[in-house]
């Protein structure tokens, strides 16, 4: 894609596991590591990146030339979402081909500017948009978001299997809502179970990129348009996301980066 070096899909087999929250924070963490980063909100039916990035209602992208438009900028990220095109209360009552077509238009007609990474916030499931992305653009890898709950893991497996079928490498698993700590007594409890991320990573020979707590603070920050990496850049959650970002970059760009020439001496 013109203006984009690497594309990373962030996906889950089901909704409600915090995929969009992970996407925006992971993108911000990658930007904090010094990369130029964009976010494409591919969830046509339920776009959420506009609110998470603090983009005001009614803000629209500017046209650029013929049949192109400029992404909006928020917190240092370039961003495009269906939420920038329509009223947020308007339901997208579209069939699959129309949804796939809208996604392709956003993907190809957005004038991305010299991005190192474009993170695509995928809709739940394994349908038209996922196949369109895999078939139309060179995706460097996918990040799978799940909770430790057995039901979520069932759907996460479907997501991994789909990416394997279309030859997109799975970079790792993010286990969200892995532990809840009571703000009153300090007691911690794995309300959705334990070890789910590790099991699925081992099953598919990938890695757990990180574990995130079930936290009111994380939810309040994205609802308020200032995700954790921006709201508390030195906090534990932000550091977890930055560790994830480094692992993603290492896998795509190559471990160790450019090491330079190897010099040896012999008689």
């Amino acid at each position: 894609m013109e203006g984009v070096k690497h594309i990373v899909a962030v996906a889950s087999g089901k909704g409600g596991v915090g995929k969009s929250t992970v996407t925006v924070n992971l993108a911000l963490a990658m930007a904090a590591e010094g990369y130029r980063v964009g976010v494409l909100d591919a969830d046509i039916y339920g776009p959420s990146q506009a609110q998470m990035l603090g983009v005001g209602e009614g803000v629209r992208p500017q046209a650029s030339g013929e049949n192109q438009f400029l992404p909006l900028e928020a917190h240092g990220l370039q961003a495009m979402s269906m939420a920038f095109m329509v009223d947020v209360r308007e339901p997208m009552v579209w069939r699959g081909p129309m949804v796939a077509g809208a996604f392709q238009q956003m993907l190809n007609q957005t004038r991305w500017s010299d991005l190192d990474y474009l993170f695509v916030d995928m809709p739940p499931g394994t349908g038209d948009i996922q196949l369109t992305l895999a078939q139309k653009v060179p995706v460097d890898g996918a990040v799978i978001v799940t909770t430790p709950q057995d039901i979520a893991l069932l759907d996460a497996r479907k997501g991994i299997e789909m990416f394997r079928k279309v030859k997109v490498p799975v970079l790792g698993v993010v286990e969200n809502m892995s532990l809840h700590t009571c703000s009153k007594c300090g007691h911690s409890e794995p309300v959705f179970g334990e070890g789910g991320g590790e099991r699925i990573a081992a099953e598919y020979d990938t890695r757990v990129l990180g574990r995130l707590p079930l936290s009111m603070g994380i939810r309040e920050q994205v609802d308020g348009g200032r995700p954790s990496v921006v709201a508390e850049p030195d906090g534990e959650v932000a550091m977890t996301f930055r560790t994830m970002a480094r692992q993603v970059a290492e896998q795509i760009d190559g471990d160790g980066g450019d090491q330079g020439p190897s010099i040896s001496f012999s008689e």
Side-chain angles (χ1 to χ4, degrees), residues 34 59 109 112 139 142 146 159 197 211 222 225 234-235 257-258 261 263 266:
V59 177
Q109 293 179 213
W112 305 105
V139 181
T146 186
R211 297 175 183 82
V222 292
D234 298 321
D258 185 4
I263 301 173
S266 62

Side-chain angles (χ1 to χ4, degrees), residues 19-34:
K19 171 185 50 60
S20 295
T21 298
V22 169
T23 301
V24 69
N25 275 295
L26 188 56
L28 289 165
M30 191 70 85
E33 291 293 311

Side-chain angles (χ1 to χ4, degrees), residues 177-193 212-216:
M177 308 180 199
S178 61
L179 194 70
H180 176 257
T181 300
C182 178
S183 59
K184 300 295 184 182
C185 67
H187 172 68
S188 294
E189 187 174 14
V191 293
F192 290 112
L212 297 164
L214 177 62
S215 166
M216 183 183 295

Side-chain angles (χ1 to χ4, degrees), residues 2-264:
E2 186 176 351
V4 180
K5 291 180 182 177
H6 301 298
I7 299 175
V8 177
V10 183
S12 65
K14 68 192 284 27
V17 298
K19 171 185 50 60
S20 295
T21 298
V22 169
T23 301
V24 69
N25 275 295
L26 188 56
L28 289 165
M30 191 70 85
E33 291 293 311
Y35 297 96
R36 289 177 60 84
V37 183
V39 172
L40 174 63
D41 189 351
D43 193 345
I44 305 298
Y45 291 123
S48 55
Q49 290 297 335
Q51 180 168 342
M52 290 185 172
L53 287 168
V55 177
E57 186 176 344
V59 177
R60 302 285 185 256
Q62 294 182 351
S64 174
E66 186 177 353
N67 296 326
Q68 281 196 320
F69 37 83
L70 299 176
L72 298 180
E73 298 228 0
H75 301 308
L77 301 179
Q78 298 176 39
M80 183 54 61
S81 171
M82 183 58 69
F84 303 156
M85 312 290 188
V86 298
D87 189 291
V88 294
R89 288 171 289 273
E90 181 180 341
M92 307 308 295
V93 188
W94 290 352
R95 295 188 184 274
M98 294 179 66
V99 172
F103 168 66
Q104 281 188 258
Q105 282 188 290
M106 287 199 301
L107 189 68
N108 297 319
Q109 293 179 213
T110 302
R111 193 169 177 178
W112 305 105
S113 176
D114 194 25
L115 293 182
D116 296 306
Y117 287 93
L118 176 64
F119 286 89
V120 183
D121 183 8
M122 304 294 288
T126 54
D128 290 328
I129 287 182
Q130 287 83 352
L131 290 174
T132 298
L133 179 69
Q135 292 171 349
K136 300 294 184 182
V137 298
V139 181
D140 292 87
V143 173
I144 303 297
V145 182
T146 186
T147 67
Q149 188 178 9
D150 290 342
I151 296 298
L153 293 171
L154 285 174
D155 291 316
R157 285 184 176 89
K158 295 176 184 177
I160 294 175
E161 290 285 0
M162 183 207 67
F163 282 114
R164 294 178 72 177
K165 287 182 184 298
V166 295
K167 310 301 182 186
V168 173
V170 175
L171 304 174
V173 175
V174 176
E175 187 183 271
N176 197 20
M177 308 180 199
S178 61
L179 194 70
H180 176 257
T181 300
C182 178
S183 59
K184 300 295 184 182
C185 67
H187 172 68
S188 294
E189 187 174 14
V191 293
F192 290 112
E194 293 182 273
E198 292 176 346
R199 291 195 301 274
I200 199 171
E203 181 179 343
Y204 288 99
D205 194 26
T206 186
R207 66 177 73 181
V208 177
L209 295 172
R211 297 175 183 82
L212 297 164
L214 177 62
S215 166
M216 183 183 295
I218 296 175
R219 192 272 303 166
E220 289 176 339
Q221 287 160 353
V222 292
D223 280 356
R226 288 180 57 82
S228 303
V229 175
V230 171
E232 298 180 2
D234 298 321
E236 183 177 351
V237 172
M239 292 299 103
T240 299
F241 276 111
R242 292 190 66 166
T243 299
M244 293 185 207
R246 286 192 288 270
Q247 292 182 76
V248 169
E250 286 169 5
Q251 292 185 76
I252 292 177
D253 290 326
D255 290 335
D258 185 4
Q259 298 292 337
S262 176
I263 301 173
S264 62

